[in-house]
Amino acid sequence: MREHDYPLQALLYSVALHRYLRWRLADYEPSVHLGGAAYLFLRGMTGPTVPVVGGHVNGVFDWAIPPAAVVEVSDLLAGRRSAEVPA
């Protein structure tokens, strides 16, 4: 799953969710309202004896995306530069 850019997809979906919540919730706070991402690839999950490879269950991708990273990527995609990135 990592080989097929699922982390990038999860990050971009989190940015979209961040922008939606920022628009819809008056008291929106990324560190409170954003969670991580998880994908379950059912064809990879073969029953109770699913193999564990490198500490990860086959067919499962999860990532606790740091809310600050989501905000930074959102700002970057909006054309705003981070104060931490030199021009």
Side-chain angles (χ1 to χ4, degrees):
M1 295 180 88
R2 294 178 200 280
E3 295 171 6
H4 296 287
D5 299 319
Y6 279 82
L8 176 60
Q9 184 183 56
L11 179 59
L12 292 176
Y13 284 167
S14 293
V15 166
L17 177 62
H18 160 70
R19 290 177 174 195
Y20 177 77
L21 293 176
R22 185 177 60 191
W23 172 57
R24 297 294 294 166
L25 297 178
D27 63 344
Y28 173 67
E29 180 62 42
S31 63
V32 173
H33 294 101
L34 285 179
Y39 291 100
L40 304 176
F41 186 61
L42 297 180
R43 287 188 288 174
M45 300 169 68
T46 57
T49 59
V50 173
V52 177
V53 179
H56 300 283
V57 177
N58 194 38
V60 177
F61 169 80
D62 64 326
W63 181 22
I65 305 170
V70 174
V71 172
E72 288 288 327
V73 171
S74 178
D75 289 348
L76 178 67
L77 293 174
R80 294 186 294 269
R81 289 181 159 243
S82 169
E84 298 176 21
V85 177

